[in-house]
Amino acid sequence: MGRSPCCEKAHTNKGAWTKEEDQRLIDYIRVHGEGCWRSLPKAAGLLRCGKSCRLRWINYLRPDLKRGNFTDEEDELIIKLHSLLGNKWSLIAGRLPGRTDNEIKNYWNTHIKRKLMNQGIDPQTHRPLNEKTTTTTTTTTTTTTTTTTGAVKPSTNRVTQLNFENASPQSISEINLLKSNIDFNYSNFSPIKTESVEENNCTSSGMTTDEEHHHRYHHHQERESSHENEEVNLELTIALAPTRNELTPRYSSNTADSKLQQQAPYQLLEKIVTGTVCTCCQLGSQRSEMCRNCQNSNGFYRYYYY
DNA sequence: AATCAACACAACCGCACCAGG
DNA sequence: ACCTGGTGCGGTTGTGTTGAT
């Protein structure tokens, strides 16, 4: 038995949104908050599919959206994040406040891809276009595979393949920080329903912006608590998963980690991509100290970024 | 001025994931 | 364990705009 369609297609508008439709959607969300997209069109008096409403809001009408061209810093950040995450546009968008996944995806396809090609770089693998055979290391939270194909397809594989070389031990915790940082930002910038919306069956949350931020932070912490003694699986597989102890100080105190946390994202990434990590640490067998086997730079992999 | 191609971006579609029953 | 509904994500398509001829 197939699933029911998300909306009654025969009675829904398609194509470009009119100003009136936009205004209806804005007015409705202003009063009732986000969420319950399926029932929203009817409630708001819109002849639109719920998904369409959600997309319109997230990609175009949301008040916190940044308008205008991408800056050079944003360009760089997108390229770096893409080299780490592949086509995980929502994760990338999570690192660029005010930008949407759709916007970044379009920007990538129309600008950055061409720019990289012109520089002789394969936009999918971030390697030189004429490079033929390479060695890559693939890691997941459960399995580890080494391939010699060099064929990296981050958009279809649920694995991000990375090469590292000359990694310093402190980079490991920085990489972990990046992972958790991305997760944190992802939860922050994703359209999360507020509890009150859920509890009140899609009525207004009545929260101020500050309350909402606090709520989201709290929500995030609750999520972390629920993952106690678990590895955090972000599907990033950049390095070993952080432990609870490594995650906790991120939001408090003046620890080195929390200072790192406050750095501009591209600065953090700059440190990471030029940093180093040994293979066994990368695979999760060691923690913040370099293992003996790797103290001579044997078995290091280079992470390419140009 | 008209036509066409290339480009930019908004919107759609199908699938996957997750929570709840 | 399975089903269903709601939601989010990534790939693709459609359409308006701009530039070249």
Side-chain angles (χ1 to χ4, degrees):
Chain A
M1 193 171 78
R3 61 187 310 174
S4 60
C6 69
C7 55
E8 190 63 51
K9 305 234 181 227
H11 302 104
T12 54
N13 291 341
K14 287 173 87 172
W17 280 65
T18 64
K19 280 186 177 176
E20 288 74 28
E21 286 177 314
D22 281 348
Q23 200 52 54
R24 271 180 190 269
L25 183 57
I26 291 167
D27 290 344
Y28 183 87
I29 291 175
R30 209 171 265 162
V31 175
H32 298 94
E34 289 180 43
C36 298
W37 296 109
R38 199 184 173 94
S39 57
L40 185 148
K42 199 176 177 184
L46 286 162
L47 293 174
R48 288 278 178 176
C49 166
K51 288 173 83 168
S52 180
C53 294
R54 177 183 158 269
L55 215 63
R56 182 65 179 172
W57 173 255
I58 288 172
N59 287 330
Y60 201 81
L61 300 176
R62 242 169 53 197
D64 58 332
L65 287 178
K66 195 191 275 183
R67 298 272 171 217
N69 296 335
F70 283 77
T71 64
D72 289 346
E73 285 78 15
E74 284 176 317
D75 261 30
E76 265 187 58
L77 183 56
I78 290 168
I79 294 169
K80 286 177 183 178
L81 285 166
H82 186 272
S83 72
L84 284 168
L85 305 166
N87 295 1
K88 300 281 181 189
W89 304 117
S90 58
L91 281 174
I92 294 171
R95 294 293 306 176
L96 287 123
R99 302 292 190 186
T100 69
D101 52 358
N102 208 35
E103 192 179 12
I104 293 169
K105 181 173 61 183
N106 283 332
Y107 186 64
W108 175 270
N109 286 328
T110 55
H111 291 88
I112 301 181
K113 233 178 181 175
R114 201 182 316 137
K115 181 175 149 188
L116 289 176
M117 295 285 267
N118 288 340
Q119 291 172 7
I121 298 166
D122 186 330
Q124 275 307 310
T125 62
H126 295 260
R127 293 166 175 277
L129 280 167
N130 55 7
E131 195 175 82
K132 298 231 168 131
T133 53
T134 55
T135 300
T136 64
T137 298
T138 303
T139 64
T140 70
T141 51
T142 53
T143 59
T144 300
T145 312
T146 301
T147 72
T148 55
T149 64
V152 181
K153 293 179 71 182
S155 61
T156 51
N157 295 347
R158 287 197 159 275
V159 167
T160 301
Q161 303 187 5
L162 300 169
N163 291 333
F164 288 90
E165 186 180 280
N166 304 324
S168 69
Q170 72 264 29
S171 296
I172 299 163
S173 62
E174 289 174 1
I175 289 165
N176 286 333
L177 254 176
L178 173 69
K179 286 173 63 182
S180 42
N181 205 20
I182 287 168
D183 181 44
F184 177 66
N185 280 279
Y186 181 52
S187 61
N188 262 352
F189 293 111
S190 294
I192 296 170
K193 281 189 291 186
T194 61
E195 245 169 42
S196 54
V197 168
E198 293 168 85
E199 284 168 359
N200 299 332
N201 195 20
C202 306
T203 56
S204 171
S205 73
M207 278 185 181
T208 65
T209 308
D210 282 347
E211 284 168 337
E212 204 160 344
H213 285 160
H214 178 76
H215 172 84
R216 289 183 177 186
Y217 167 74
H218 181 66
H219 173 75
H220 175 76
Q221 282 203 321
E222 278 183 347
R223 282 176 49 196
E224 288 219 320
S225 300
S226 70
H227 287 115
E228 198 156 6
N229 301 322
E230 274 182 44
E231 289 190 338
V232 178
N233 181 3
L234 304 177
E235 298 180 351
L236 299 181
T237 65
I238 295 166
L240 62 161
T243 63
R244 173 73 183 159
N245 287 344
E246 287 168 313
L247 288 169
T248 306
R250 297 202 319 264
Y251 310 111
S252 61
S253 81
N254 290 321
T255 63
D257 277 357
S258 65
K259 282 174 186 165
L260 245 181
Q261 170 83 19
Q262 292 159 14
Q263 287 183 338
Y266 50 86
Q267 286 175 321
L268 180 60
L269 276 156
E270 195 73 60
K271 291 188 72 162
I272 290 165
V273 298
T274 55
T276 56
V277 64
C278 73
T279 309
C280 59
C281 293
Q282 191 190 128
L283 299 182
S285 61
Q286 298 288 320
R287 295 205 30 214
S288 55
E289 292 170 14
M290 187 184 281
C291 69
R292 263 187 213 165
N293 290 340
C294 299
Q295 280 178 357
N296 307 323
S297 31
N298 294 335
F300 285 6
Y301 293 85
R302 175 162 189 77
Y303 167 70
Y304 284 94
Y305 173 70
Y306 302 89

